[in-house]
Amino acid sequence: MSSQTDSSNGALLKVDNLEKHFPIRRGILWEKTVGAVKAVDGVSFEVAEGETLGLVGESGSGKSTTGYCILQLLKPTSGSIVFMGKDLMTLGREELRQMRREMQIVFQDPYASLDPRMTVGAIVGEPLEVHGIGTRRSRTETVRRLLDIVGFNPNFTNRYPHEFSGGQRQRIGVARALALNPKLIVCDEPVSALDVSIQAQILNLLKDLQRDFGLTYLFISHDLAVVRTMSDRIAVMNQGKLVEIGTADQVYHEPRDEYTKTLFAAVPVPDPHRQRERKAERARLRKEGQLATLPESVDGDVATDVSDPRADTTGPAI
């Protein structure tokens, strides 16, 4: 990895003491701030080039907000985000616009993240147009090539998103994220809204793209099985804080933090004997007060983070 594209310590992305607080205001005529929701509170981690870091936690833990702050879709309250050797917090508007060619996002909801008024070709080609890359003809050829790479029929560029299934829409979203040949892609629960059989296809696609294009992923999910399959390392978040980080095998088999242990204890297993053991373990942890806010099944929860401030999830071309 060259020094021109990495931070000083060898990581492509370094997040240090990241905080995002949403103010709580009261009053009708004169509003005043009476507190703050600490959606992200002192989060620090690094991601090496070509690595997949899984960011996992229950709904409302702040994992999606962390991803939006890294991409500067939300302005962090404080902290440092060093990407390719540059602190994104200190960049001006034009500098940040140029840096966004190197970092993209795949949104959670394939139905809400695509503009229904734009054709497939316009959606995938929009990042190229925004950044002034190529001619109109070359952009059309690039769009067709990208759609073919992600397994989507390039002859459908003149159709609209509503004509396709959730899995096909997510392939369109992946193609849009690839349009600028980025180094980092934030995958914000990219398969949680899809059927199980389609989930496997999209996950395999993401793995193949990482291998072929040398991509780096920040993979955000509440599904522990998916995170384990996709990630080299796993970071566990709880109430805006990073409670544990380690290799996928270490976090899965030998978790150190009590919250991580309770998180994995809540996952259902197909073996009835192990399931009974898990239920007994959950009962013990709940009696001790460690499962007070943990749902019965984390693996089946498809809710979005409650700290997510978006009302409209239509994905911008960044």
Side-chain angles (χ1 to χ4, degrees):
M1 294 183 288
S2 66
S3 59
Q4 293 179 343
T5 60
D6 305 331
S7 59
S8 58
N9 64 349
L12 179 68
L13 172 69
K14 181 180 179 182
V15 178
D16 186 29
N17 199 29
L18 178 66
E19 295 185 350
K20 177 58 180 177
H21 299 170
F22 294 99
I24 301 173
R25 296 187 174 93
R26 289 181 181 173
I28 299 176
L29 298 178
W30 293 277
E31 283 190 347
K32 65 177 182 178
T33 301
V34 297
V37 176
K38 297 181 179 180
V40 181
D41 191 17
V43 169
S44 300
F45 59 83
E46 298 177 0
V47 186
E49 188 167 0
E51 179 186 31
T52 298
L53 176 66
L55 195 58
V56 66
E58 60 185 294
S59 294
S61 61
K63 53 190 186 296
S64 290
T65 303
T66 299
Y68 302 147
C69 287
I70 290 172
L71 294 173
Q72 301 295 292
L73 295 178
L74 289 175
K75 190 67 176 177
T77 303
S78 63
S80 172
I81 303 171
V82 178
F83 177 65
M84 295 177 60
K86 295 183 179 180
D87 190 346
L88 302 182
M89 300 279 286
T90 63
L91 297 183
R93 184 172 182 176
E94 182 58 30
E95 290 179 297
L96 181 60
R97 179 175 174 272
Q98 293 301 319
M99 287 297 292
R100 279 179 167 159
R101 294 179 59 170
E102 304 294 343
M103 51 182 186
Q104 292 292 307
I105 184 170
V106 177
F107 288 98
Q108 176 180 2
D109 190 349
Y111 293 90
S113 61
L114 303 179
D115 192 329
R117 297 164 296 182
M118 297 176 66
T119 63
V120 171
I123 289 170
V124 178
E126 185 182 20
L128 299 170
E129 186 175 353
V130 168
H131 289 272
I133 298 175
T135 62
R136 183 176 180 179
R137 183 172 183 176
S138 67
R139 286 196 292 266
T140 300
E141 294 174 354
T142 299
V143 167
R144 292 180 63 88
R145 179 175 59 85
L146 287 169
L147 291 173
D148 185 57
I149 287 173
V150 300
F152 186 91
N153 192 332
N155 294 324
F156 294 160
T157 54
N158 291 325
R159 296 190 180 184
Y160 291 86
H162 73 270
E163 301 180 57
F164 302 102
S165 66
Q168 290 173 310
R169 293 185 188 207
Q170 199 62 297
R171 290 178 188 271
I172 298 170
V174 172
R176 177 177 61 184
L178 287 175
L180 297 174
N181 193 25
K183 290 183 176 294
L184 172 70
I185 295 182
V186 175
C187 300
D188 180 23
E189 306 210 35
V191 297
S192 65
L194 306 178
D195 293 339
V196 174
S197 60
I198 306 301
Q199 287 184 13
Q201 295 177 19
I202 298 300
L203 293 176
N204 288 332
L205 171 64
L206 292 173
K207 281 191 169 184
D208 291 343
L209 293 174
Q210 184 175 41
R211 180 196 63 217
D212 296 340
F213 296 96
L215 298 172
T216 303
Y217 290 146
L218 177 63
F219 195 91
I220 299 169
S221 180
H222 62 267
D223 192 324
L224 302 174
V226 168
V227 169
R228 184 190 180 194
T229 301
M230 291 294 298
S231 305
D232 300 304
R233 292 187 301 135
I234 295 177
V236 182
M237 286 191 69
N238 180 31
Q239 297 181 352
K241 296 181 180 292
L242 202 64
V243 297
E244 183 169 351
I245 187 168
T247 65
D249 288 338
Q250 181 266 309
V251 173
Y252 199 88
H253 294 293
E254 300 176 359
R256 296 187 299 268
D257 187 82
E258 287 301 319
Y259 175 77
T260 308
K261 294 177 183 178
T262 60
L263 195 67
F264 282 93
V267 179
V269 292
D271 188 329
H273 299 290
R274 290 186 60 197
Q275 183 65 15
R276 281 195 292 269
E277 294 175 359
R278 287 286 184 90
K279 286 184 177 180
E281 178 68 8
R282 289 202 299 271
R284 182 186 67 82
L285 293 170
R286 188 170 286 106
K287 187 177 180 180
E288 296 175 358
Q290 296 176 11
L291 280 177
T293 61
L294 197 63
E296 285 291 332
S297 172
V298 176
D299 195 48
D301 179 17
V302 295
T304 311
D305 282 2
V306 297
S307 59
D308 183 352
R310 297 175 299 163
D312 179 9
T313 55
T314 301
I318 63 174

